[in-house]
Amino acid sequence: MKITDLNPKIVWKFFHEITQVPRPSKKEGKIIQYLEAFAKEHTIAIKKDEAGNILMSKPATPGYEKLPTVILQSHVDMVCEKNSGTEHDFDNDPIETIVDGDWLKAKDTTLGADNGVGVAAELAILASDDIEHGPIECLFTIDEETGLTGAKELKAGFMTGEILLNLDSEDEGEIFIGCAGGKDTQALFSFTPTPTDPSLHYVRIDVKGLNGGHSGGEIHKGLGNANKILVRFLYLLKKKYDIVLCEINGGNLRNAIAREAYAVVGIPESAKEDVRIMLNQFTADVENELKHIDKNVKLLLESVPRPEKAIDNVTAEKIIFALQACPHGVIGMSHEIEGLVETSTNLASVKTLPDNTVLVGTSQRSSIESYKLAVANQVAATFLLAGAKVTHGDGYPGWAPNSDSLIMKVAQESYKRLFGKEAAIKAIHAGLECGLFLEKYPYLDMISFGPTLRDVHSPNERIQISTVDLWWKHLLDVLKSIPAK
């Protein structure tokens, strides 16, 4: 079975087309061209703002002219992650999809269902002539994954609707009415390159095989973080031997839990066997810790040629100790919404750069603004004590739940009527663009909902096929069930 054989056919048709268009964050030119061509082909009104966001408008179908204008919103960019050893150029290559039972996934890369399926649903509604709805505006934002740039730069007056349906959630049957805010914290270590000692034995230590995942929506699962696992072992080595750190790299995106990491170190020649035994024992501990959530974790040790330079010992020790001390994971749970992560932090990436620096990227989230700042400062203090230069991103606001939301009640009643059971009303720890929309459009009444996705932001990303049809039916029923103005 192919993707184009799936139901609802019109949604999967457009999702397939989207997978053929490269759309990395900050490189959305090709998907914007695709959207512009779509609007021209279907004679849809379209406008684009300075940031690159696109808004398409469609009048009401006959009999629904008195309904309020509804904004459907998705982001066009995707997280670009691939398994090591996979040859894939995200700037130019299409995504290769695989139907596996009730799941659609990609071959060794992220799928881009986050948020391509939302884009596909909007296009399906715009292209159809047999769907009942009031006036609609379809907003397609850019660069959600790496900076929320499109939402941040959206100008007041670009949209006219007073109800917004965000199509960027990942659990069918759940309606989201709030989300966490976020902030990035970076630490920069400058080191003095030193010549490597020819009497030492040089090895590369790799952490591989982890699932990775979304640093908001999946932070509560206790998934393995390759950066934390690697530095735990480096800390043990550093405490026992005078090792030399030549290079350390791990993770990639601020909103993804690191799946892979490695370090190149010099160890005493006499310690080769003991280090291998240490790694075997440490690996057994990690496998035991993660056996229920990341059972494919691997730690590898291989000899490598002597590098030309190393990080000076004083800075190397500070890097290892600071990374060991840096918090990662859930910091606190909500006292207001049962089961909701309130505050968390992600040790996202560690990069040894050509200019003799090591850059550490972290990301903090909280549904309480003061806690968000507090944990960002906690991470900052960890690296400031180690002598690093620390900077913070601007961050983005959370979206406070509105229990009196009209569109929430419409969606709730629609779900019960369609499927004979209650939809869950929730807030999400992941960041959504909704909080930023409220800054420019404070009157918006919003919900977020979508089909079921798993392991987003990793090559294991997949979408549950059967839930797309349920979500699509729910979306269409909501559009025609909104009360007239």
Side-chain angles (χ1 to χ4, degrees), residues 38-66:
F38 167 90
K40 184 176 181 180
E41 178 185 352
H42 294 278
T43 320
I44 300 289
I46 182 174
K47 61 180 180 178
K48 182 169 66 173
D49 67 11
E50 294 176 1
N53 299 312
I54 283 184
L55 189 76
M56 299 188 201
S57 304
K58 187 178 180 183
T61 51
Y64 291 85
E65 294 87 353
K66 293 185 179 180

PDB file of all heavy atoms in Angstrom, residues 38-66:
ATOM      1  N   PHE A  38      -0.200  26.452  -5.760  1.00  0.00           N
ATOM      2  CA  PHE A  38      -1.486  25.856  -5.396  1.00  0.00           C
ATOM      3  C   PHE A  38      -2.588  26.915  -5.449  1.00  0.00           C
ATOM      4  O   PHE A  38      -3.673  26.676  -6.001  1.00  0.00           O
ATOM      5  CB  PHE A  38      -1.393  25.258  -3.986  1.00  0.00           C
ATOM      6  CG  PHE A  38      -2.721  24.899  -3.381  1.00  0.00           C
ATOM      7  CD1 PHE A  38      -3.268  23.636  -3.561  1.00  0.00           C
ATOM      8  CD2 PHE A  38      -3.444  25.827  -2.626  1.00  0.00           C
ATOM      9  CE1 PHE A  38      -4.502  23.308  -3.007  1.00  0.00           C
ATOM     10  CE2 PHE A  38      -4.681  25.504  -2.072  1.00  0.00           C
ATOM     11  CZ  PHE A  38      -5.206  24.239  -2.266  1.00  0.00           C
ATOM     12  N   ALA A  39      -2.340  28.079  -4.865  1.00  0.00           N
ATOM     13  CA  ALA A  39      -3.351  29.143  -4.844  1.00  0.00           C
ATOM     14  C   ALA A  39      -3.721  29.578  -6.257  1.00  0.00           C
ATOM     15  O   ALA A  39      -4.896  29.814  -6.567  1.00  0.00           O
ATOM     16  CB  ALA A  39      -2.841  30.329  -4.033  1.00  0.00           C
ATOM     17  N   LYS A  40      -2.717  29.665  -7.116  1.00  0.00           N
ATOM     18  CA  LYS A  40      -2.975  30.059  -8.500  1.00  0.00           C
ATOM     19  C   LYS A  40      -3.810  29.002  -9.215  1.00  0.00           C
ATOM     20  O   LYS A  40      -4.778  29.335  -9.932  1.00  0.00           O
ATOM     21  CB  LYS A  40      -1.650  30.280  -9.229  1.00  0.00           C
ATOM     22  CG  LYS A  40      -1.806  30.780 -10.646  1.00  0.00           C
ATOM     23  CD  LYS A  40      -0.458  31.064 -11.283  1.00  0.00           C
ATOM     24  CE  LYS A  40      -0.621  31.594 -12.706  1.00  0.00           C
ATOM     25  NZ  LYS A  40       0.703  31.871 -13.340  1.00  0.00           N
ATOM     26  N   GLU A  41      -3.454  27.731  -9.011  1.00  0.00           N
ATOM     27  CA  GLU A  41      -4.167  26.638  -9.679  1.00  0.00           C
ATOM     28  C   GLU A  41      -5.628  26.582  -9.262  1.00  0.00           C
ATOM     29  O   GLU A  41      -6.515  26.318 -10.091  1.00  0.00           O
ATOM     30  CB  GLU A  41      -3.489  25.304  -9.353  1.00  0.00           C
ATOM     31  CG  GLU A  41      -4.189  24.090  -9.958  1.00  0.00           C
ATOM     32  CD  GLU A  41      -3.568  22.776  -9.518  1.00  0.00           C
ATOM     33  OE1 GLU A  41      -2.497  22.798  -8.869  1.00  0.00           O
ATOM     34  OE2 GLU A  41      -4.166  21.728  -9.810  1.00  0.00           O
ATOM     35  N   HIS A  42      -5.911  26.866  -7.990  1.00  0.00           N
ATOM     36  CA  HIS A  42      -7.273  26.721  -7.466  1.00  0.00           C
ATOM     37  C   HIS A  42      -7.996  28.066  -7.338  1.00  0.00           C
ATOM     38  O   HIS A  42      -9.091  28.119  -6.768  1.00  0.00           O
ATOM     39  CB  HIS A  42      -7.235  26.015  -6.113  1.00  0.00           C
ATOM     40  CG  HIS A  42      -6.759  24.588  -6.182  1.00  0.00           C
ATOM     41  ND1 HIS A  42      -7.583  23.549  -6.525  1.00  0.00           N
ATOM     42  CD2 HIS A  42      -5.523  24.049  -5.999  1.00  0.00           C
ATOM     43  CE1 HIS A  42      -6.895  22.415  -6.519  1.00  0.00           C
ATOM     44  NE2 HIS A  42      -5.644  22.686  -6.202  1.00  0.00           N
ATOM     45  N   THR A  43      -7.393  29.109  -7.873  1.00  0.00           N
ATOM     46  CA  THR A  43      -7.978  30.462  -7.838  1.00  0.00           C
ATOM     47  C   THR A  43      -8.355  30.841  -6.405  1.00  0.00           C
ATOM     48  O   THR A  43      -9.491  31.224  -6.098  1.00  0.00           O
ATOM     49  CB  THR A  43      -9.212  30.561  -8.760  1.00  0.00           C
ATOM     50  OG1 THR A  43      -8.978  29.830  -9.979  1.00  0.00           O
ATOM     51  CG2 THR A  43      -9.498  32.007  -9.120  1.00  0.00           C
ATOM     52  N   ILE A  44      -7.394  30.710  -5.517  1.00  0.00           N
ATOM     53  CA  ILE A  44      -7.581  31.031  -4.101  1.00  0.00           C
ATOM     54  C   ILE A  44      -6.912  32.379  -3.821  1.00  0.00           C
ATOM     55  O   ILE A  44      -5.771  32.621  -4.241  1.00  0.00           O
ATOM     56  CB  ILE A  44      -6.952  29.946  -3.202  1.00  0.00           C
ATOM     57  CG1 ILE A  44      -7.593  28.577  -3.457  1.00  0.00           C
ATOM     58  CG2 ILE A  44      -7.042  30.337  -1.734  1.00  0.00           C
ATOM     59  CD1 ILE A  44      -8.983  28.421  -2.959  1.00  0.00           C
ATOM     60  N   ALA A  45      -7.586  33.251  -3.089  1.00  0.00           N
ATOM     61  CA  ALA A  45      -6.997  34.531  -2.686  1.00  0.00           C
ATOM     62  C   ALA A  45      -5.817  34.266  -1.755  1.00  0.00           C
ATOM     63  O   ALA A  45      -5.915  33.463  -0.827  1.00  0.00           O
ATOM     64  CB  ALA A  45      -8.036  35.388  -1.991  1.00  0.00           C
ATOM     65  N   ILE A  46      -4.706  34.948  -2.012  1.00  0.00           N
ATOM     66  CA  ILE A  46      -3.485  34.688  -1.253  1.00  0.00           C
ATOM     67  C   ILE A  46      -2.732  35.983  -1.010  1.00  0.00           C
ATOM     68  O   ILE A  46      -2.746  36.889  -1.848  1.00  0.00           O
ATOM     69  CB  ILE A  46      -2.574  33.673  -1.998  1.00  0.00           C
ATOM     70  CG1 ILE A  46      -1.306  33.362  -1.178  1.00  0.00           C
ATOM     71  CG2 ILE A  46      -2.217  34.155  -3.381  1.00  0.00           C
ATOM     72  CD1 ILE A  46      -0.439  32.251  -1.788  1.00  0.00           C
ATOM     73  N   LYS A  47      -2.101  36.072   0.157  1.00  0.00           N
ATOM     74  CA  LYS A  47      -1.173  37.173   0.418  1.00  0.00           C
ATOM     75  C   LYS A  47      -0.039  36.658   1.292  1.00  0.00           C
ATOM     76  O   LYS A  47      -0.184  35.657   2.008  1.00  0.00           O
ATOM     77  CB  LYS A  47      -1.878  38.354   1.074  1.00  0.00           C
ATOM     78  CG  LYS A  47      -2.524  38.086   2.411  1.00  0.00           C
ATOM     79  CD  LYS A  47      -3.188  39.372   2.933  1.00  0.00           C
ATOM     80  CE  LYS A  47      -3.856  39.157   4.285  1.00  0.00           C
ATOM     81  NZ  LYS A  47      -4.452  40.407   4.809  1.00  0.00           N
ATOM     82  N   LYS A  48       1.098  37.337   1.207  1.00  0.00           N
ATOM     83  CA  LYS A  48       2.299  36.938   1.933  1.00  0.00           C
ATOM     84  C   LYS A  48       2.853  38.146   2.669  1.00  0.00           C
ATOM     85  O   LYS A  48       2.911  39.242   2.108  1.00  0.00           O
ATOM     86  CB  LYS A  48       3.340  36.368   0.958  1.00  0.00           C
ATOM     87  CG  LYS A  48       4.620  35.875   1.630  1.00  0.00           C
ATOM     88  CD  LYS A  48       5.493  35.082   0.668  1.00  0.00           C
ATOM     89  CE  LYS A  48       6.041  35.951  -0.447  1.00  0.00           C
ATOM     90  NZ  LYS A  48       7.026  35.230  -1.294  1.00  0.00           N
ATOM     91  N   ASP A  49       3.271  37.934   3.913  1.00  0.00           N
ATOM     92  CA  ASP A  49       3.836  39.057   4.654  1.00  0.00           C
ATOM     93  C   ASP A  49       5.355  39.089   4.505  1.00  0.00           C
ATOM     94  O   ASP A  49       5.952  38.250   3.808  1.00  0.00           O
ATOM     95  CB  ASP A  49       3.405  39.024   6.119  1.00  0.00           C
ATOM     96  CG  ASP A  49       3.978  37.839   6.903  1.00  0.00           C
ATOM     97  OD1 ASP A  49       4.875  37.140   6.388  1.00  0.00           O
ATOM     98  OD2 ASP A  49       3.541  37.620   8.046  1.00  0.00           O
ATOM     99  N   GLU A  50       5.998  40.040   5.165  1.00  0.00           N
ATOM    100  CA  GLU A  50       7.440  40.228   5.019  1.00  0.00           C
ATOM    101  C   GLU A  50       8.234  39.036   5.544  1.00  0.00           C
ATOM    102  O   GLU A  50       9.333  38.757   5.057  1.00  0.00           O
ATOM    103  CB  GLU A  50       7.861  41.507   5.747  1.00  0.00           C
ATOM    104  CG  GLU A  50       7.300  42.786   5.132  1.00  0.00           C
ATOM    105  CD  GLU A  50       7.655  44.014   5.936  1.00  0.00           C
ATOM    106  OE1 GLU A  50       8.346  43.881   6.966  1.00  0.00           O
ATOM    107  OE2 GLU A  50       7.233  45.119   5.535  1.00  0.00           O
ATOM    108  N   ALA A  51       7.704  38.347   6.532  1.00  0.00           N
ATOM    109  CA  ALA A  51       8.414  37.195   7.100  1.00  0.00           C
ATOM    110  C   ALA A  51       8.379  35.982   6.177  1.00  0.00           C
ATOM    111  O   ALA A  51       9.257  35.126   6.233  1.00  0.00           O
ATOM    112  CB  ALA A  51       7.813  36.828   8.450  1.00  0.00           C
ATOM    113  N   GLY A  52       7.343  35.909   5.316  1.00  0.00           N
ATOM    114  CA  GLY A  52       7.145  34.739   4.462  1.00  0.00           C
ATOM    115  C   GLY A  52       5.914  33.938   4.826  1.00  0.00           C
ATOM    116  O   GLY A  52       5.609  32.929   4.183  1.00  0.00           O
ATOM    117  N   ASN A  53       5.189  34.363   5.881  1.00  0.00           N
ATOM    118  CA  ASN A  53       3.916  33.709   6.199  1.00  0.00           C
ATOM    119  C   ASN A  53       2.923  33.917   5.060  1.00  0.00           C
ATOM    120  O   ASN A  53       2.915  34.973   4.420  1.00  0.00           O
ATOM    121  CB  ASN A  53       3.321  34.314   7.477  1.00  0.00           C
ATOM    122  CG  ASN A  53       4.208  34.128   8.689  1.00  0.00           C
ATOM    123  OD1 ASN A  53       4.688  33.033   8.945  1.00  0.00           O
ATOM    124  ND2 ASN A  53       4.410  35.204   9.442  1.00  0.00           N
ATOM    125  N   ILE A  54       2.100  32.913   4.846  1.00  0.00           N
ATOM    126  CA  ILE A  54       1.103  32.980   3.770  1.00  0.00           C
ATOM    127  C   ILE A  54      -0.295  32.847   4.359  1.00  0.00           C
ATOM    128  O   ILE A  54      -0.525  32.033   5.264  1.00  0.00           O
ATOM    129  CB  ILE A  54       1.365  31.883   2.727  1.00  0.00           C
ATOM    130  CG1 ILE A  54       2.544  32.298   1.836  1.00  0.00           C
ATOM    131  CG2 ILE A  54       0.130  31.588   1.896  1.00  0.00           C
ATOM    132  CD1 ILE A  54       2.858  31.364   0.722  1.00  0.00           C
ATOM    133  N   LEU A  55      -1.221  33.659   3.851  1.00  0.00           N
ATOM    134  CA  LEU A  55      -2.621  33.575   4.245  1.00  0.00           C
ATOM    135  C   LEU A  55      -3.467  33.398   2.990  1.00  0.00           C
ATOM    136  O   LEU A  55      -3.414  34.214   2.079  1.00  0.00           O
ATOM    137  CB  LEU A  55      -3.063  34.837   4.985  1.00  0.00           C
ATOM    138  CG  LEU A  55      -4.456  34.759   5.618  1.00  0.00           C
ATOM    139  CD1 LEU A  55      -4.405  33.917   6.897  1.00  0.00           C
ATOM    140  CD2 LEU A  55      -5.004  36.152   5.927  1.00  0.00           C
ATOM    141  N   MET A  56      -4.220  32.292   2.946  1.00  0.00           N
ATOM    142  CA  MET A  56      -5.176  32.063   1.867  1.00  0.00           C
ATOM    143  C   MET A  56      -6.592  32.197   2.424  1.00  0.00           C
ATOM    144  O   MET A  56      -6.851  31.794   3.564  1.00  0.00           O
ATOM    145  CB  MET A  56      -4.993  30.679   1.254  1.00  0.00           C
ATOM    146  CG  MET A  56      -3.626  30.449   0.635  1.00  0.00           C
ATOM    147  SD  MET A  56      -3.568  28.882  -0.275  1.00  0.00           S
ATOM    148  CE  MET A  56      -1.807  28.570  -0.324  1.00  0.00           C
ATOM    149  N   SER A  57      -7.481  32.770   1.636  1.00  0.00           N
ATOM    150  CA  SER A  57      -8.857  33.021   2.089  1.00  0.00           C
ATOM    151  C   SER A  57      -9.858  32.371   1.146  1.00  0.00           C
ATOM    152  O   SER A  57      -9.640  32.332  -0.068  1.00  0.00           O
ATOM    153  CB  SER A  57      -9.129  34.523   2.156  1.00  0.00           C
ATOM    154  OG  SER A  57      -8.175  35.171   2.982  1.00  0.00           O
ATOM    155  N   LYS A  58     -10.946  31.878   1.735  1.00  0.00           N
ATOM    156  CA  LYS A  58     -11.993  31.241   0.941  1.00  0.00           C
ATOM    157  C   LYS A  58     -13.347  31.638   1.517  1.00  0.00           C
ATOM    158  O   LYS A  58     -13.555  31.555   2.742  1.00  0.00           O
ATOM    159  CB  LYS A  58     -11.822  29.717   0.973  1.00  0.00           C
ATOM    160  CG  LYS A  58     -12.760  28.956   0.041  1.00  0.00           C
ATOM    161  CD  LYS A  58     -12.484  27.459   0.113  1.00  0.00           C
ATOM    162  CE  LYS A  58     -13.404  26.672  -0.818  1.00  0.00           C
ATOM    163  NZ  LYS A  58     -13.182  25.218  -0.703  1.00  0.00           N
ATOM    164  N   PRO A  59     -14.277  32.083   0.681  1.00  0.00           N
ATOM    165  CA  PRO A  59     -15.595  32.498   1.200  1.00  0.00           C
ATOM    166  C   PRO A  59     -16.401  31.303   1.703  1.00  0.00           C
ATOM    167  O   PRO A  59     -16.075  30.141   1.438  1.00  0.00           O
ATOM    168  CB  PRO A  59     -16.254  33.147  -0.010  1.00  0.00           C
ATOM    169  CG  PRO A  59     -15.568  32.549  -1.201  1.00  0.00           C
ATOM    170  CD  PRO A  59     -14.160  32.267  -0.778  1.00  0.00           C
ATOM    171  N   ALA A  60     -17.457  31.621   2.411  1.00  0.00           N
ATOM    172  CA  ALA A  60     -18.332  30.582   2.955  1.00  0.00           C
ATOM    173  C   ALA A  60     -19.040  29.827   1.838  1.00  0.00           C
ATOM    174  O   ALA A  60     -19.297  30.368   0.763  1.00  0.00           O
ATOM    175  CB  ALA A  60     -19.357  31.218   3.885  1.00  0.00           C
ATOM    176  N   THR A  61     -19.336  28.573   2.104  1.00  0.00           N
ATOM    177  CA  THR A  61     -20.183  27.813   1.180  1.00  0.00           C
ATOM    178  C   THR A  61     -21.631  28.272   1.382  1.00  0.00           C
ATOM    179  O   THR A  61     -21.995  28.793   2.438  1.00  0.00           O
ATOM    180  CB  THR A  61     -20.051  26.303   1.440  1.00  0.00           C
ATOM    181  OG1 THR A  61     -20.262  26.048   2.836  1.00  0.00           O
ATOM    182  CG2 THR A  61     -18.670  25.806   1.052  1.00  0.00           C
ATOM    183  N   PRO A  62     -22.485  28.115   0.369  1.00  0.00           N
ATOM    184  CA  PRO A  62     -23.870  28.600   0.459  1.00  0.00           C
ATOM    185  C   PRO A  62     -24.577  28.081   1.712  1.00  0.00           C
ATOM    186  O   PRO A  62     -24.514  26.890   2.022  1.00  0.00           O
ATOM    187  CB  PRO A  62     -24.506  28.055  -0.821  1.00  0.00           C
ATOM    188  CG  PRO A  62     -23.367  27.957  -1.787  1.00  0.00           C
ATOM    189  CD  PRO A  62     -22.186  27.549  -0.961  1.00  0.00           C
ATOM    190  N   GLY A  63     -25.228  29.012   2.421  1.00  0.00           N
ATOM    191  CA  GLY A  63     -25.953  28.668   3.632  1.00  0.00           C
ATOM    192  C   GLY A  63     -25.160  28.869   4.908  1.00  0.00           C
ATOM    193  O   GLY A  63     -25.714  28.782   6.009  1.00  0.00           O
ATOM    194  N   TYR A  64     -23.834  29.132   4.773  1.00  0.00           N
ATOM    195  CA  TYR A  64     -22.980  29.277   5.961  1.00  0.00           C
ATOM    196  C   TYR A  64     -22.348  30.673   6.020  1.00  0.00           C
ATOM    197  O   TYR A  64     -21.385  30.888   6.741  1.00  0.00           O
ATOM    198  CB  TYR A  64     -21.884  28.208   5.960  1.00  0.00           C
ATOM    199  CG  TYR A  64     -22.416  26.820   6.195  1.00  0.00           C
ATOM    200  CD1 TYR A  64     -22.903  26.050   5.136  1.00  0.00           C
ATOM    201  CD2 TYR A  64     -22.466  26.278   7.469  1.00  0.00           C
ATOM    202  CE1 TYR A  64     -23.404  24.771   5.344  1.00  0.00           C
ATOM    203  CE2 TYR A  64     -22.960  25.006   7.697  1.00  0.00           C
ATOM    204  CZ  TYR A  64     -23.430  24.263   6.631  1.00  0.00           C
ATOM    205  OH  TYR A  64     -23.932  22.997   6.858  1.00  0.00           O
ATOM    206  N   GLU A  65     -22.928  31.619   5.292  1.00  0.00           N
ATOM    207  CA  GLU A  65     -22.335  32.953   5.204  1.00  0.00           C
ATOM    208  C   GLU A  65     -22.339  33.707   6.534  1.00  0.00           C
ATOM    209  O   GLU A  65     -21.517  34.602   6.752  1.00  0.00           O
ATOM    210  CB  GLU A  65     -23.086  33.798   4.162  1.00  0.00           C
ATOM    211  CG  GLU A  65     -22.938  33.296   2.727  1.00  0.00           C
ATOM    212  CD  GLU A  65     -23.975  32.241   2.353  1.00  0.00           C
ATOM    213  OE1 GLU A  65     -24.742  31.804   3.264  1.00  0.00           O
ATOM    214  OE2 GLU A  65     -24.030  31.866   1.163  1.00  0.00           O
ATOM    215  N   LYS A  66     -23.268  33.363   7.438  1.00  0.00           N
ATOM    216  CA  LYS A  66     -23.372  34.098   8.701  1.00  0.00           C
ATOM    217  C   LYS A  66     -22.449  33.557   9.792  1.00  0.00           C
ATOM    218  O   LYS A  66     -22.400  34.118  10.893  1.00  0.00           O
ATOM    219  CB  LYS A  66     -24.822  34.063   9.188  1.00  0.00           C
ATOM    220  CG  LYS A  66     -25.779  34.846   8.298  1.00  0.00           C
ATOM    221  CD  LYS A  66     -27.180  34.880   8.876  1.00  0.00           C
ATOM    222  CE  LYS A  66     -28.120  35.697   7.995  1.00  0.00           C
ATOM    223  NZ  LYS A  66     -29.503  35.738   8.560  1.00  0.00           N
TER     224      LYS A  66
END
